[in-house]
Amino acid sequence: MTFLHKILKEIDDLASYIKNDDTVLISVKNQKLLRTCFQLIVSLGISPCLVPGLGISLSKRSTLAAMLPATDLSDEQKYELLTECTDFFVRNYSIPVLKNIIISFHLSDYLAALIQLSFAPLKKPGVYTNFTMTQEMYDKLNLDRKKYIKVYDHLVSNCFQPILMKELLVLQNVTDKTPPAFVKRIITKELSRRLIAPGGLLSLIRCFMDSLEIDSGIEWKKIDIICKLIATKHGDICNDEYVQNICNQLKQILVLNNTKYLTTAIACLITLIEKYPESGAVTALTKDVFDSFNFENISESYLPGTIIFTTQQIEHKIQTYHSALSLSNQEIIIKLITPNIPVLFLIGMKCTNEGIKNKLNEILTKCMEKMDKNEIPAFLKLLLFGDTTLSKVTVEEFQAGLILKAINNNTYPLDDALFYFIELFKRTSDYNFNQAVLETSLQMVIDFSVKRNEVMEPLLAPEDEPILLSDLNRQYINILQLLSVISESSKINECLKKSPQTVFKFIEYFLQENKNNSECETIALILLNTILPNINDLKLTIRLKKLIPILEKISNDELNTNSILSNEAILLINGGRINKSNSPYEKAVSNAFDNLLPTRGHGIIELTKLIDKQDVETISKRHLEQLKDADSYIYLAAINGIASLAMHCSEDVLNVLCKEFLNISTTFGSIETREMQNKTQEMRLKIGDIIVKVTKRLGDMSIVHKTILLNTMLTACRDHDPLIRASALSNLAEIALVLHYRIGSIIYEVLLCIESIIETDRAMECRRAAVMVISSLLKGLGKETLIELKEHLLPLYRTLNKLYKDPNEDHAVKLHAQTALEELNDIVYQFLLPNIDLEKPFSLLDEPKEIIYK
């Protein structure tokens, strides 16, 4: 004990010295020595004096515990030693450097000592076996208890709550020996008090979830423990007050941006919904969290012109929904999020932030996949065509992000909705959802066709008589486009194989009842030929036999482009096989896959000619796989063939061409010789020219594909080959010209790319091309330059002026810069001093005389 007293005295002296001079610094080496001293104090003065089951045993904390000398102390001696060491902790808790050691390494020991001294039951005065409790001792122990209760209350109220809760849980779950009943009772009561205190739930979550491993994922077992803890009422308050308290704390946690905290808070809310479904506090919090984007509530609550949600609010709520989707209670969560889908879909159409867009896509696809099959038709119509309620909100995008705004009336963006739904459909993998989308699309085509037949509106206007498409025709065109896109998906093919009867109603309607719709007749025949090889049901076969007269009529009509498809259908219905050897398409395909290289090249060229001739079979069965051929002749022939398909399936063509333009180097493996490098470079340049050619052929239709076209060329501007960079810049100018420079906010990315090349690129041809793009851009924008470029105009002018006046600059670069400056000068001059026509026609006669020739 003398050794222990010396340690206590030395540290007390140090504490007194630090109190008198707060500028004293303790080195790392001395801090380590202090920690060792505190460990000795705990090992010799606190742990041996605690009741069994209270505190963490030394054997669990150190392998050297067995080397400590055993002490044989009486109960009175243990009490005196425990109070002495506890008083030492109390004194030094006010010294920052010593307090840090206590909290970091010995808080559980400090708590254990205070719990025993404050709450351990005392025996009444009297004589007991081997012990006599005198009145004087009893009074002294009660006085000490009051003192230590105050110390305990101060500690638990002012200590960092997550650490406090962690240590209390450790003391409660000692496994060596069951803690005494009073210890469990005190710790349970204290944890309950800490939980319902302000910020208590957040402290509990931090106690479980905070970890030194920053990249660790969500720990579901810990979340489950937290949910079970908050599901049980704690404290002396009634159920309603407890639930209200927890809901208020959850509301504060749900405004944080920490993913772990959000996920845990949502899990707690779901637990409360299951445990207290009729609680007003739970219902209000659920509505506040999960009804944020409920478009029915939004349209009724805000006046036109009001900003409903700011950028930060939108991003936070999307993050909240995304966190909720990772939980196990999927049925409840999907049910709560589903009413928000229409507005989330609106936001997704406008969103360009990749991180937010990915989260939105995941939310929407999961919700739609889990949706009841009977609800999908109504939802699909709402998402594709909107309604009067959705027309009262709009999403606007700024540089800072998106906002949701209430308006009086808004035209629903049908085209954007179609493209975004197709993007989401490509991400889905649920069979039932895919089948429901197919069935709904087919039924919608039938419904629109019936309505159009009643109205008798032309889909196309006569030449030189342009008319605007009605809403009915626009919706009809969009659903046809959706059907054509999803029909090419392997997921739909799987649906047709498993459930061929899905498309029977559509096929029968457009072949038997609606004979004037050639577009849908073609789709019906393609679907019919797709399902025929998989039909084994006798009833379905009988229904198919009834179609043979109609198919024969179509096949006998030489002017009908569907005659080939009809012949195939008749042959398949009668149980025969299609003779593919007589078809020009099949002959060309057979040659394209021949072992001889010249024959393969001839086959691909023949396929290209068939596409140019608009051969129905070739276009309907398009597949060119020779892009993987290592031979350059075959490769370029395949590229030209794909380019010929542009007018028939432009999206697929541009996707293939752009991918090849960027990744051609990986197609041929590692390049070793200079000759192979030159050959690859030449191919890439030719593919770039073909992309521009396809874009020019598409004309105004290419605006739909501006994103992939511009992104491809901007990406190629970072290529390691300077010729490819220069070619990409040249192609960029050509594509922008075809688009009439309607490239939106992407124009700023183009300017940034050009500026970077001018300042950093060492290749002269790249710098020349970059300045040429600026000149072309200014010429194309014309008067719109001042509106489109805005604050970017001044830096652009300074860059051009610097290039033009630099005597060491390349002459071609200076020439392009001069041309751009002259163009800019003309634009500003016309803006400031517009030409005013001073001529005015007048006549001396009120009515011109008619001249009559005899």
Side-chain angles (χ1 to χ4, degrees):
M1 292 300 107
T2 304
F3 173 68
L4 182 60
H5 289 143
K6 285 183 178 181
I7 294 177
L8 298 177
K9 185 179 182 306
E10 290 294 332
I11 297 178
D12 281 336
D13 292 341
L14 174 63
S16 300
Y17 187 77
I18 294 175
K19 276 186 178 180
N20 296 328
D21 185 3
D22 56 2
T23 62
V24 175
L25 297 177
I26 299 177
S27 66
V28 175
K29 181 179 179 181
N30 290 331
Q31 287 187 31
K32 185 177 179 181
L33 180 61
L34 278 173
R35 290 199 298 270
T36 304
C37 292
F38 272 88
Q39 289 173 5
L40 287 171
I41 294 170
V42 169
S43 302
L44 299 174
I46 293 182
S47 291
C49 302
L50 295 175
V51 296
L54 178 57
I56 306 170
S57 65
L58 293 177
S59 60
K60 297 290 185 182
R61 299 159 63 172
S62 173
T63 56
L64 302 177
M67 300 175 59
L68 293 174
T71 55
D72 186 15
L73 302 175
S74 63
D75 291 341
E76 293 87 345
Q77 290 174 326
K78 287 182 179 179
Y79 180 79
E80 293 297 332
L81 183 58
L82 182 61
T83 54
E84 186 177 358
C85 292
T86 305
D87 290 339
F88 167 79
F89 271 67
V90 173
R91 291 193 302 271
N92 292 286
Y93 193 76
S94 59
I95 311 299
V97 65
L98 302 179
K99 177 182 178 181
N100 184 45
I101 294 174
I102 295 172
I103 291 178
S104 301
F105 300 99
H106 300 291
L107 182 58
S108 61
D109 303 307
Y110 190 23
L111 283 169
L114 289 174
I115 289 173
Q116 179 167 319
L117 293 173
S118 303
F119 304 106
L122 297 177
K123 292 182 178 181
K124 298 294 183 182
V127 179
Y128 302 92
T129 305
N130 300 326
F131 176 73
T132 301
M133 173 67 78
T134 63
Q135 185 64 43
E136 182 182 0
M137 183 182 296
Y138 183 77
D139 294 339
K140 179 181 179 301
L141 292 175
N142 275 323
L143 287 174
D144 289 345
R145 170 179 286 189
K146 291 179 181 179
K147 180 183 73 171
Y148 289 119
I149 286 175
K150 290 182 180 180
V151 175
Y152 171 81
D153 288 338
H154 180 270
L155 175 64
V156 296
S157 299
N158 296 280
C159 183
F160 185 55
Q161 296 299 295
I163 295 179
L164 173 68
M165 287 187 168
K166 179 181 178 182
E167 300 300 337
L168 288 172
L169 287 169
V170 169
L171 292 176
Q172 190 182 39
N173 294 279
V174 173
T175 56
D176 291 347
K177 190 172 183 179
T178 304
F182 83 92
V183 173
K184 286 188 173 183
R185 184 177 66 255
I186 294 301
I187 293 178
T188 301
K189 183 178 179 181
E190 189 58 50
L191 284 171
S192 301
R193 191 168 62 161
R194 294 298 104 202
L195 177 62
I196 61 177
L201 180 55
L202 179 59
S203 298
L204 180 65
I205 294 173
R206 294 187 66 178
C207 162
F208 277 91
M209 305 305 297
D210 282 358
S211 174
L212 295 176
E213 299 176 6
I214 299 176
D215 295 330
S216 61
I218 303 297
E219 300 177 67
W220 303 110
K221 289 184 179 180
K222 293 182 179 180
I223 291 180
D224 189 49
I225 293 172
I226 295 171
C227 292
K228 289 178 179 178
L229 285 173
I230 63 105
T232 306
K233 185 182 78 69
H234 298 277
D236 299 329
I237 57 179
C238 66
N239 270 346
D240 291 340
E241 291 181 4
Y242 172 75
V243 173
Q244 182 69 57
N245 181 291
I246 296 299
C247 288
N248 291 339
Q249 294 194 59
L250 284 174
K251 193 172 184 179
Q252 295 174 356
I253 297 171
L254 286 167
V255 301
L256 303 176
N257 286 323
N258 188 296
T259 304
K260 292 183 179 180
Y261 296 169
L262 279 177
T263 304
T264 309
I266 294 294
C268 291
L269 176 57
I270 300 300
T271 302
L272 293 178
I273 293 172
E274 295 174 339
K275 184 73 180 290
Y276 306 100
E278 298 181 358
S279 171
V282 175
T283 303
L285 181 59
T286 305
K287 185 176 180 181
D288 185 52
V289 174
F290 288 105
D291 277 0
S292 303
F293 295 119
N294 190 326
F295 65 102
E296 294 180 356
N297 298 338
I298 288 175
S299 61
E300 298 172 357
S301 306
Y302 296 91
L303 295 175
T306 308
I307 295 178
I308 303 172
F309 291 120
T310 62
T311 299
Q312 293 79 7
Q313 289 174 323
I314 289 176
E315 293 180 358
H316 181 75
K317 291 179 184 299
I318 290 173
Q319 175 62 48
T320 303
Y321 292 162
H322 187 261
S323 300
L325 287 176
S326 60
L327 298 172
S328 58
N329 311 67
Q330 289 290 296
E331 292 184 4
I332 297 177
I333 293 168
I334 296 298
K335 183 179 179 181
L336 293 171
I337 296 179
T338 297
N340 302 280
I341 288 181
V343 176
L344 290 175
F345 188 82
L346 274 178
I347 296 172
M349 281 191 280
K350 295 282 187 177
C351 184
T352 57
N353 183 304
E354 187 175 351
I356 300 297
K357 186 70 172 282
N358 288 336
K359 292 176 182 176
L360 268 173
N361 291 346
E362 190 172 345
I363 293 169
L364 291 170
T365 51
K366 281 193 175 182
C367 288
M368 289 191 293
E369 286 179 348
K370 300 293 182 182
M371 195 179 294
D372 186 81
K373 191 174 180 179
N374 297 326
E375 298 177 355
I376 292 177
F379 251 98
L380 183 58
K381 293 177 183 177
L382 179 62
L383 297 183
L384 290 178
F385 309 129
D387 65 355
T388 53
T389 308
L390 276 179
S391 64
K392 295 180 181 179
V393 295
T394 185
V395 179
E396 297 180 4
E397 185 174 23
F398 300 93
Q399 289 184 350
L402 300 169
I403 64 167
L404 187 66
K405 188 176 180 181
I407 58 173
N408 189 22
N409 194 10
N410 184 36
T411 302
Y412 193 75
L414 296 178
D415 294 339
D416 292 342
L418 172 65
F419 296 143
Y420 187 46
F421 183 82
I422 291 173
E423 179 185 344
L424 293 175
F425 179 81
K426 291 178 179 178
R427 294 170 57 96
T428 59
S429 58
D430 185 71
Y431 172 80
N432 293 327
F433 174 75
N434 295 331
Q435 186 180 15
V437 170
L438 176 62
E439 291 177 0
T440 305
S441 302
L442 295 172
Q443 185 58 48
M444 288 170 68
V445 172
I446 295 174
D447 296 340
F448 282 130
S449 181
V450 172
K451 292 179 182 178
R452 289 181 66 248
N453 289 337
E454 294 173 356
V455 178
M456 295 298 292
E457 280 191 68
L459 186 61
L460 298 176
E463 189 175 359
D464 299 329
E465 294 182 17
I467 62 172
L468 294 176
L469 290 176
S470 66
D471 291 340
L472 176 62
N473 280 336
R474 289 184 65 197
Q475 293 175 1
Y476 175 66
I477 292 172
N478 280 12
I479 201 65
L480 274 180
Q481 188 171 352
L482 172 64
L483 187 59
S484 65
V485 171
I486 66 174
S487 296
E488 298 176 359
S489 171
S490 58
K491 296 178 284 189
I492 294 301
N493 290 332
E494 183 183 355
C495 294
L496 294 176
K497 289 179 181 179
K498 292 183 178 179
S499 305
Q501 66 275 7
T502 303
V503 297
F504 261 49
K505 185 178 179 181
F506 179 86
I507 293 170
E508 290 175 338
Y509 175 80
F510 283 104
L511 291 182
Q512 292 178 342
E513 300 179 23
N514 191 334
K515 301 176 182 178
N516 298 323
N517 197 322
S518 60
E519 305 97 345
C520 292
E521 183 182 82
T522 303
I523 297 174
L525 288 171
I526 293 173
L527 291 174
L528 178 60
N529 289 340
T530 303
I531 64 171
L532 281 174
N534 302 303
I535 293 180
N536 299 317
D537 191 352
L538 181 60
K539 292 182 180 180
L540 296 180
T541 305
I542 294 173
R543 288 177 65 181
L544 287 170
K545 294 281 187 182
K546 296 179 181 179
L547 298 176
I548 291 180
I550 300 170
L551 294 173
E552 289 177 344
K553 184 178 179 181
I554 296 172
S555 64
N556 293 330
D557 186 359
E558 295 180 356
L559 299 178
N560 195 330
T561 56
N562 295 326
S563 58
I564 297 176
L565 295 172
S566 299
N567 286 328
E568 290 186 8
I570 294 170
L571 195 58
L572 290 171
I573 292 173
N574 292 327
R577 294 184 179 181
I578 299 172
N579 185 10
K580 300 181 180 180
S581 59
N582 296 326
S583 168
Y585 165 75
E586 294 299 336
K587 289 180 180 178
V589 169
S590 176
N591 290 334
F593 288 93
D594 195 86
N595 293 328
L596 295 176
L597 188 144
T599 308
R600 291 206 305 273
H602 174 73
I604 295 173
I605 293 172
E606 287 299 318
L607 283 171
T608 305
K609 290 180 180 179
L610 289 172
I611 293 170
D612 292 335
K613 292 179 181 178
Q614 297 186 357
D615 182 75
V616 177
E617 185 179 9
T618 307
I619 294 172
S620 63
K621 297 180 179 180
R622 56 186 180 269
H623 62 81
L624 289 177
E625 300 180 358
Q626 300 299 335
L627 283 178
K628 300 177 183 179
D629 201 302
D631 184 82
S632 59
Y633 176 75
I634 302 297
Y635 182 83
L636 288 177
I639 286 290
N640 287 315
I642 290 179
S644 297
L645 278 170
M647 299 306 294
H648 306 285
C649 47
S650 54
E651 182 178 1
D652 295 338
V653 167
L654 289 175
N655 282 333
V656 172
L657 290 175
C658 291
K659 184 178 179 181
E660 285 299 306
F661 181 67
L662 294 177
N663 302 324
I664 187 173
S665 58
T666 61
T667 305
F668 298 101
S670 59
I671 300 173
E672 298 178 355
T673 64
R674 181 66 181 173
E675 181 182 358
M676 287 297 295
Q677 291 180 0
N678 293 336
K679 190 178 293 186
T680 302
Q681 184 187 74
E682 181 183 356
M683 288 182 185
R684 294 188 67 182
L685 293 175
K686 288 183 178 180
I687 294 173
D689 291 340
I690 292 173
I691 292 174
V692 174
K693 184 194 300 183
V694 170
T695 306
K696 289 180 177 178
R697 289 182 65 181
L698 290 172
D700 291 341
M701 293 170 59
S702 59
I703 192 67
V704 179
H705 312 290
K706 71 174 183 179
T707 302
I708 186 173
L709 289 169
L710 296 175
N711 286 345
T712 299
M713 296 307 162
L714 287 173
T715 303
C717 288
R718 300 197 303 267
D719 197 89
H720 67 278
D721 190 336
L723 282 179
I724 299 300
R725 296 200 298 273
S727 174
L729 286 166
S730 176
N731 296 338
L732 187 65
E734 293 288 342
I735 292 171
L737 177 62
V738 175
L739 296 173
H740 304 295
Y741 300 92
R742 293 175 296 179
I743 55 180
S745 59
I746 302 179
I747 194 170
Y748 303 127
E749 295 184 37
V750 173
L751 291 175
L752 180 61
C753 174
I754 293 171
E755 184 179 354
S756 300
I757 289 175
I758 292 174
E759 293 180 355
T760 62
D761 204 313
R762 297 181 181 180
M764 191 56 63
E765 55 270 21
C766 295
R767 301 179 74 250
R768 290 175 180 174
V771 182
M772 184 269 293
V773 172
I774 295 178
S775 176
S776 175
L777 190 65
L778 293 175
K779 187 176 182 180
L781 287 173
K783 294 180 181 180
E784 300 296 322
T785 301
L786 303 178
I787 299 173
E788 293 290 337
L789 301 187
K790 298 179 183 177
E791 67 273 8
H792 296 271
L793 191 58
L794 181 58
L796 181 63
Y797 170 77
R798 288 172 176 169
T799 302
L800 292 172
N801 197 35
K802 180 181 177 182
L803 291 173
Y804 177 66
K805 293 182 178 180
D806 188 353
N808 300 322
E809 189 57 74
D810 177 71
H811 69 280
V813 173
K814 293 179 68 174
L815 180 61
H816 288 311
Q818 180 185 0
T819 305
L821 286 171
E822 290 174 355
E823 193 67 42
L824 189 59
N825 182 64
D826 292 341
I827 292 169
V828 176
Y829 186 82
Q830 290 176 12
F831 177 77
L832 296 176
L833 301 171
N835 293 328
I836 301 175
D837 190 2
L838 300 179
E839 295 181 0
K840 183 177 181 180
F842 63 94
S843 174
L844 297 176
L845 301 175
D846 294 337
E847 296 180 0
K849 292 183 178 180
E850 295 182 359
I851 300 174
I852 302 174
Y853 295 94
K854 294 184 178 179

